[in-house]
Amino acid sequence: MTLRVYALYGCSSRVLGSMAIIGAAIASVACWAVFAGPKTVVLQQTFGCYARPSYDTSIRLATAWEAMFAYDSIVFALTLVKTWRRRNVKFRMGELPIVSLLLRDGAIYFAVMALSNLANIMTFYFCGPFLRGGLSTFSASISVTMMSRLMLNLHETASIGILSTHTNTQ
């Protein structure tokens, strides 16, 4: 999504630098949340091979997911601002302009990912020890699926795509 925002803003190095700094800050928060904490973990007696995390560990893991949600929100806000400013650009009849496509697909991606991440974050706070973070795999999988959808829609709309071939006729 960062590359889409970078392209949307005309390959502005200022936008890329800002996104890199924000991304590094959010990654730092996520790393701190995951790796800072007690170095020795006392596992409670469980059945099977699943070690249930403590509530404090779950809160730290939820913080990492919240940081990811914050970055998605920033990317969506930047997409929304730029596409809203360019919404009146003229286009040929029957075509969906790329800017409108970016806004539509970005909004769908953000809505699906926000709901998925929110549901996952809530499992860390409110579920029992064996269900904490149970939607993490689903959230990661739906992220890949939604990103593929975005790329395929963009490829379908663009006149020259990754599967296009060009022949030189001279």
Side-chain angles (χ1 to χ4, degrees), residues 7-107:
L8 192 60
Y9 278 84
C11 297
S12 169
S13 59
R14 195 174 91 193
V15 170
L16 184 62
S18 300
M19 294 298 292
I21 290 169
I22 291 169
I26 287 177
S28 308
V29 169
C31 287
W32 170 82
V34 171
F35 297 117
K39 299 299 179 213
T40 59
V41 177
V42 177
L43 295 177
Q44 300 169 352
Q45 180 63 33
T46 60
F47 298 103
C49 60
Y50 182 76
R52 59 184 183 177
S54 68
Y55 186 71
D56 293 336
T57 303
S58 296
I59 298 303
R60 284 198 331 270
L61 292 174
T63 302
W65 282 94
E66 290 163 355
M68 214 166 50
F69 177 75
Y71 189 76
D72 280 345
S73 299
I74 291 168
V75 167
F76 179 66
L78 287 171
T79 302
L80 190 63
V81 165
K82 188 64 171 183
T83 55
W84 187 259
R85 288 182 186 160
R86 297 194 55 198
R87 70 187 182 280
N88 292 327
V89 173
K90 302 289 184 205
F91 60 96
R92 287 182 283 184
M93 198 62 157
E95 285 185 0
L96 182 66
I98 297 247
V99 173
S100 297
L101 179 75
L102 289 173
L103 177 60
R104 184 195 71 188
D105 284 355

Side-chain angles (χ1 to χ4, degrees), residues 30 33-34 50-69 115-140:
V34 171
Y50 182 76
R52 59 184 183 177
S54 68
Y55 186 71
D56 293 336
T57 303
S58 296
I59 298 303
R60 284 198 331 270
L61 292 174
T63 302
W65 282 94
E66 290 163 355
M68 214 166 50
F69 177 75
L115 291 174
S116 173
N117 285 338
L118 181 64
N120 188 38
I121 290 167
M122 292 298 116
T123 64
F124 285 108
Y125 286 109
F126 300 116
C127 286
F130 291 110
L131 291 178
R132 289 184 186 138
L135 293 176
S136 297
T137 303
F138 173 76
S139 294

